[in-house]
Amino acid sequence: MSFQIKEQPTVYDVCIVGSGAGGGMAAKVLAESGAKVALLEAGPWYDPADPKYITQLKNPWESPRRGASTHRPFGDFDAAWGGWELEGEPYTRKSGTQFDWFRSRMLGGRTNHWGRISLRFGPLDFKRKDVDGLGDNWPIGYEDVKPYYDKVDRLVGIFGSVENIPNEPDGIFLPPPKPRLHELFLKKAGKKINIPVIPSRLSILTKPINNERGQCFYCSQCSRGCQAYADFSSSSVLVKPAVKTGNVTVFTNAMAREVITNQDGIATGVSYVDKQNLQEYTVRAKIVVLAASACESARLLMNSKSSRHTKGLGNSSGVLGKYLHDSTGAGRSAFLPHLVDRKRYNEDGVGGMHVYTPWWLNDKKLDFPRGYHIEYGGGMGMPGYGFGFGMENMNGKYPGKDGNKKPAGGYGLSLKEDYRHFYGANFGMAGRGEAIAREDNYCEIDPNMVDKYGIPVLRFNYKWSEHEIKQAKHMQDTFEEIITAMGGIPTGPKPGPESNYGLAAPGRIIHEVGTTRMGDDPSKSVTNRYSQLHDARNVFVVDAGTFVSQADKNPTWTILALSMRASEYIIDQRKKANL
Amino acid sequence: MKRRDTLKAISLGTITATVVGTEAKADVPKKAEAPLSLSDFKNGKSAAERVRDAKIAAEVFFTPHEKQTISVLANYIIPPDGQHGGALEAKVPDFIEFIVKDMTQHQTPMRGGLSWLDTQCLKQFGKKFVTCTKSEQTKMLDQIAYPEQAKPEMSQGVAFFNLMRNLTATGYFTTQIGFNYLGYVGNRPNNWEGVPPEVLKQYGLSYDS
């Protein structure tokens, strides 16, 4: 076997690395403008409507492990081909710190299984430093992004309700689904204790928006990928129409190795290893758009060293990889005694909650900066692996069907009845909050390790600060307040300082951002306000790496808006012959 | 697209695209064969996942005696009632056999727990659990099935029985028989129109307030 790098003769207008939210959007916008696009994806092809991939509507017994998460991190039926650990693709951690890095290797990336929670950043979210003096402001504001949020709403589809809450901008909404039973109790409880509970904002089609995509049929399984294309995933909503233009060539199983630059420091293409045959290839392109995820794009840039870019491409500032931050997360569950022996009906609903709590204390002085929103779960969901576990902690505490208490645990018909009695009476909630972006939370290249393709891997250094821990404490207090107002009983002991109040490890919420942050000052940022590298004008980053701060909002809607904005900028600059 | 068309369209139209596959590229050395996980999906599973699951299923973990003990225990935990089958009808022992091979952390607690149970029965009744009479068996179970009442020297048996109860319940309720007993009626295309009016009334709730 001869070892050589195979260079394709075609010079594409654009080479996009990654087919998730950012890459899919760039592919669609650029291809529709007539650009010839090469789209590199490190995983295989995926189409949620192709029967060979479908797990939606499967019953638990169609998995021998009943959908348990032994292998796929969110279970056998989940549409994420990836996880926190990938065979042959390691990463490391520095000085006893922790960061868990979730990667999906498939067309559409992590958009195939995400929660579809599609929140706009508000005016405050772009300028938080003005409020608390921490971190940095974005170089752009809500007014710059709003037109793109509007376009994304129309293009992708989102349900929600107009609420006129200052930092929770309303969008162009489809009608939200009615709350489930426990969600009605939540709304009532919220009123009692002055915590807003409003319809959630999810990119799920409660009404059809075009002829290519269907309408939600309420199976609650968006995380399995939707065969009707009734929710947002980049594979079905962006890549599919992009490919339809005839201007996109998709390279699957293409693991990007380096961005290639010339003597002038300008990118000329991307080299990749084909995971199937382990051969090296180069795709030549006039413009390179990185959308491999915040950390993967940063890694690619760091690995793209040349005489002009000695610290890696786009790293003359030394900021590349720094300011990495993930959302904070903590949760609690509860039992709602008034819901035992509920009448049965199909309560699946959409994939995820029908109501949520946006951050409500912007005007209040607290002992931590920023805020969090609350997501809710509960109802008569489909049993899977784990269903029925821990009955011995329930059936001795609360009366059974006959109204009498009995000894915990047990066996036989009486135990069997208990599972039916308590079914659908549990409820859980999770806070998702904003962490402060810090220079000393970062990823860098590990000098001693490569992955199985020989590509140097990332090493993480990440620690939560007092800010995030205090925020988690506040979450736990709020959770108990809500549970009590609902007439519920919290499950297990309240998480305390020993566990940082249940604060999830960094990376676990899978909202990592900030590694290629944007800014007007090239000495303090990697890209400019149009997501364009300060150091190489024909290289763009359209994943969440450019986020200066994360807000308490899930990042996808902002990735989509900023990728569309950057793509339109590319088209404009091409017209003006600046690119 | 109208709703009924959506439902009709399910599992019809799929994406066809220009994909640069490996197939087109020549001189691929055999030893660099593609990892199975990258290709060949069927029924929602990659080839690698199918191979792995078939391999796990083909292994045998429990001895016939252990499997028999599990069956007797499962039937005590979730017996059939007049209307619905129990753990045995739902093939819970087969599920437990698979899951301990898939989740190896369950292997020692299960094997050791079964052995603990037989030892206790030998001490108390002079025979193994499955050969005890029904009244001896329930006498044994009553000592380990109620964690808050169990004697301290029974704590290992309690831990084993908790695990056995958990696995039996999960194995049972993730079958059609379990769905029917529980009354789970979802996992099918439908149109969510909210909580039924009679349920709203029952709880004094309404969509108007």
Side-chain angles (χ1 to χ4, degrees), chain A residues 47 52 58-59 65-66 70-72 178-179 208 218 221 227 250 276 281 343-344 348 387 390 410-411 416, chain B residues 1 10 15 20 25 34 43-44 49 53 79 81 102 142 145 166 170-171 174 182 187 190 192 198 207:
Chain A
D47 177 351
K52 69 181 175 192
K58 285 200 189 303
N59 284 303
R65 61 186 61 77
R66 310 292 159 87
T70 324
H71 305 283
R72 293 192 192 183
K178 285 182 179 170
Y218 302 101
Q221 297 165 20
Q227 54 196 296
V250 182
Q276 301 259 64
Y281 296 87
K343 185 180 161 55
R344 305 302 201 244
D348 285 347
F387 183 93
Y411 59 93
K416 189 177 179 182
Chain B
M1 207 189 275
I10 287 174
I15 303 174
V20 176
K25 290 162 196 161
N43 208 17
E49 289 171 314
D53 286 356
D81 53 69
D102 190 51
D142 289 343
N166 285 344
T170 267
T174 51
L182 194 65
N187 196 30
N190 72 104
W192 168 256
E198 70 274 18
Y207 279 117

Side-chain angles (χ1 to χ4, degrees), chain A residues 3 6 27 31 43 47 65 79 107 135 161 178 244 254 258 271 274 328 348 352 357 361 382 407 409 512 516 552 562:
Chain A
F3 187 79
K6 300 185 179 178
D47 177 351
R65 61 186 61 77
L107 194 78
S161 58
K178 285 182 179 170
K244 256 194 176 167
E258 267 181 59
S271 72
D274 183 313
T328 59
D348 285 347
T357 292
L361 296 174
M382 179 163 47
E512 70 282 1
T516 56
D552 69 74
L562 292 180

